[in-house]
């Protein structure tokens, strides 16, 4: 396809989501928050009491996800789940089911469909390596564990969720470990990706860096 794609991959709480949305806004592009698809599947599974190891049942849930993205809001059926999706419990469950090949396969076509004119900014773990390997620009966004824990802490508290630093650090370590060491679509920089360490950068500085690379891509 000739429709341009910018992929932004990176670990939990690296600031991918914020940067992806701001870059998309500047360029007038669509956004794919691929993590939300894994979170939606996890949320639906948790609510139904589906075992997080039941690959077949989880893939079915992913395939039939009644998900809608409406102007920054996310719906599961008629329920606005934008808030519920951000809970750490849901993120942890998402990271567990994301290791299952049938679940990833079930969400593959849905992700490709987000590529619409005039362009797409896709954020996740495997956007540049698996889903959009031919992307015009690929970014691997990182930040130190300390910087990411602090961002996640502020984000959770800001949204009214309980949070404690020690628990968050432990969560980040186990999520990094799982996301980087799984057999399918592990988190790693895509070939040709620009590495952007945002530990000492504001979101706007990161956005400028991405836009500058895009101008020369
Ligand atoms: O980015 P976010 O924290 O919302 O993603 C939740 C989980 O979904 C991640 O920990 C990761 O395991 C999984 N994920 C993935 N591939 C993606 C996006 C997210 O495996 N492209």
């Amino acid at each position: 396809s000739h429709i341009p794609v910018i992929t932004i991959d990176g670990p939990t709480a690296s600031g991918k989501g914020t940067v992806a949305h701001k870059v998309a806004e500047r360029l007038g592009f669509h956004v794919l928050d691929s993590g939300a698809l894994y979170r939606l599947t996890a949320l639906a599974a948790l609510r139904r009491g589906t075992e997080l190891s039941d690959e077949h049942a989880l893939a079915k849930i992913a395939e039939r996800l009644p998900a809608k993205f409406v102007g920054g809001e996310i719906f599961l059926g008629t329920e606005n789940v934008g808030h519920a999706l951000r809970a750490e419990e849901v993120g942890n469950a998402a990271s567990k089911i994301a290791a299952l090949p049938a679940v990833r396969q079930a969400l593959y076509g849905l992700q490709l469909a987000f590529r619409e004119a005039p362009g797409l900014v896709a954020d996740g773990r495997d956007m540049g390596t698996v889903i959009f390997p031919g992307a015009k620009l690929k970014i691997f966004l990182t930040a130190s564990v300390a910087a990411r824990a602090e961002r996640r802490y502020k984000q959770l508290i800001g949204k009214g969720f309980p949070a404690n630093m020690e628990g968050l650090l432990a969560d980040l370590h186990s999520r990094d470990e799982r996301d980087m060491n799984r057999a399918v679509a592990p988190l790693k920089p895509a070939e040709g990706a620009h590495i952007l360490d945002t530990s000492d950068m504001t979101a706007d500085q990161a956005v400028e860096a991405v836009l500058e690379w895009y101008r020369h891509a």
Side-chain angles (χ1 to χ4, degrees):
S1 169
H2 59 281
I3 299 171
V5 179
I6 299 175
T7 60
I8 303 183
D9 290 307
T12 297
S14 58
K16 299 181 307 288
T18 307
V19 172
H21 276 92
K22 286 186 175 220
V23 168
E25 200 175 302
R26 290 279 291 273
L27 297 171
F29 282 12
H30 300 276
V31 187
L32 165 59
D33 169 7
S34 61
L37 302 178
Y38 292 92
R39 286 173 183 265
L40 280 162
T41 305
L43 181 67
L46 289 171
R47 287 184 173 175
R48 289 188 204 185
T50 307
E51 289 288 336
L52 296 182
S53 55
D54 188 342
E55 183 165 5
H56 183 73
L58 292 164
K60 276 238 161 75
I61 292 174
E63 232 161 63
R64 297 173 191 168
L65 216 51
K68 272 192 217 80
F69 294 79
V70 188
E73 300 292 343
I74 306 175
F75 291 82
L76 193 56
T78 57
E79 183 191 351
N80 187 334
V81 291
H83 183 74
L85 287 185
R86 302 322 306 172
E88 275 298 284
E89 184 201 6
V90 176
N92 285 326
S95 139
K96 284 183 190 144
I97 66 162
L100 306 171
V103 171
R104 306 199 71 84
Q105 185 58 42
L107 294 174
Y108 181 69
L110 181 57
Q111 296 176 81
L112 295 186
F114 278 78
R115 185 177 199 167
E116 283 193 273
L120 175 69
V121 182
D123 93 68
R125 304 292 186 290
D126 63 341
M127 297 298 96
T129 51
V130 176
I131 309 293
F132 301 110
K136 188 162 174 195
L137 175 67
K138 299 178 186 181
I139 308 290
F140 191 79
L141 210 70
T142 61
S144 66
V145 172
R148 292 189 284 133
E150 198 178 313
R151 283 178 199 164
R152 178 54 52 90
Y153 182 84
K154 285 187 185 152
Q155 195 181 46
L156 286 170
I157 296 292
K159 291 191 172 169
F161 286 109
N164 78 78
M165 212 43 162
E166 249 170 67
L168 283 177
L169 282 169
D171 274 0
L172 281 184
H173 277 297
S174 60
R175 295 259 292 270
D176 283 357
E177 195 72 9
R178 237 187 340 251
D179 289 350
M180 292 189 298
N181 295 313
R182 68 187 174 208
V184 273
L187 173 65
K188 62 172 184 205
E191 214 185 301
H194 294 272
I195 313 276
L196 187 59
D197 186 327
T198 65
S199 303
D200 300 311
M201 279 178 134
T202 63
D204 286 324
Q205 288 171 325
V207 169
E208 290 308 325
V210 173
L211 289 173
E212 185 60 18
W213 277 318
Y214 187 67
R215 279 179 208 117
H216 299 285

